Amino acid sequence: MDTLAILKRGPVMPVMVIQSVDEALQVTRALLAGGINTFEITLRTPAALDGVRELVNAFPDALIGVGTIRDAGQLDAALKAGARFAVSPGLPAALLPALAANRVPFLPGVATPTEAMNAFDAGFHALKLFPAEAVGGIPLLKSLHSPLPDIVFCPTGGIHAANAAAYLALPNVACVGGSWLAPADLVKAQDWRAITALAAAASVPSGQAQSS
């Protein structure tokens, strides 16, 4: 499965910062119940890689990816943990040889037209716009569509329930990423039903969201 196919699995990819393996299992189970099936687990906590291993084993039909990949060592650790794809806030040159060697589906982050063009020339046609709202958001994506019509984006950073549909309506957006589906307060309260409800509200098929 290539990167674009992964992005098209659903309109929203939750960006998850997990504090424990049990938390990762509970949150993922709640999101799956709401129709989410693609997940980015960020390498921002000591529990991240252990969480990925457990999620891959517990939910074999889910697409578990690892985010915040910054170097070849992190990429290798993510793949050994069972990650199906990788996400980065950028595209550092030092990562390119490792990506070529592993041929893993990879979503690199860009913030400018030049970065998008460089990533495209490096072989990446599906990109993460990050941090989306801070660098121009919807107006930027609209402006990029005409000169770069063969690039598709997953905007992440500042995306939430109130603006996700507007992003998804853009022709060059395959899905959006965000953390609003599993907010820290609901996770702390272990309110898994509320998280499932948020996931269900977000799990509108991409075509339906774009036609609304």
Side-chain angles (χ1 to χ4, degrees), residues 112-172:
T112 67
T114 297
E115 290 178 356
M117 293 167 66
N118 287 340
F120 184 89
D121 289 345
F124 302 99
H125 300 173
L127 309 177
K128 168 180 176 173
L129 182 69
F130 178 80
E133 283 285 281
V135 300
I138 290 172
L140 175 59
L141 286 164
K142 287 181 176 179
S143 297
L144 291 175
H145 181 55
S146 291
L148 304 175
D150 40 6
I151 296 179
V152 177
F153 295 90
C154 171
T156 303
I159 314 298
H160 47 75
N163 65 7
Y167 275 94
L168 290 167
L170 300 177
N172 56 345

Side-chain angles (χ1 to χ4, degrees), residues 4-195:
L4 182 57
I6 290 171
L7 298 186
K8 288 186 173 181
R9 287 257 299 199
V12 180
M13 182 192 303
V15 179
M16 297 168 56
V17 181
I18 61 173
Q19 304 301 325
S20 70
V21 170
D22 181 65
E23 176 186 295
L25 290 167
Q26 296 282 9
V27 172
T28 302
R29 186 176 291 111
L31 291 170
L32 282 166
I36 300 295
N37 55 35
T38 306
F39 305 85
E40 177 191 342
I41 311 301
T42 62
L43 293 181
R44 301 180 192 175
T45 66
L49 289 173
D50 287 338
V52 170
R53 292 186 189 94
E54 291 299 321
L55 293 177
V56 169
N57 290 329
F59 309 112
D61 293 332
L63 278 177
I64 308 298
V66 172
T68 328
I69 297 291
R70 297 174 57 186
D71 56 49
Q74 290 180 329
L75 179 65
D76 182 63
L79 295 178
K80 286 180 178 176
R84 300 277 298 278
F85 64 96
V87 185
S88 177
L91 184 59
L95 257 179
L96 293 175
L99 291 169
N102 287 287
R103 302 181 64 84
V104 59
F106 185 69
L107 185 68
V110 301
T112 67
T114 297
E115 290 178 356
M117 293 167 66
N118 287 340
F120 184 89
D121 289 345
F124 302 99
H125 300 173
L127 309 177
K128 168 180 176 173
L129 182 69
F130 178 80
E133 283 285 281
V135 300
I138 290 172
L140 175 59
L141 286 164
K142 287 181 176 179
S143 297
L144 291 175
H145 181 55
S146 291
L148 304 175
D150 40 6
I151 296 179
V152 177
F153 295 90
C154 171
T156 303
I159 314 298
H160 47 75
N163 65 7
Y167 275 94
L168 290 167
L170 300 177
N172 56 345
V173 170
C175 72
V176 298
S179 59
W180 84 89
L181 299 185
D185 58 338
L186 293 183
V187 174
K188 184 177 181 179
Q190 298 186 1
D191 193 342
W192 313 128
R193 288 186 179 182
I195 290 174

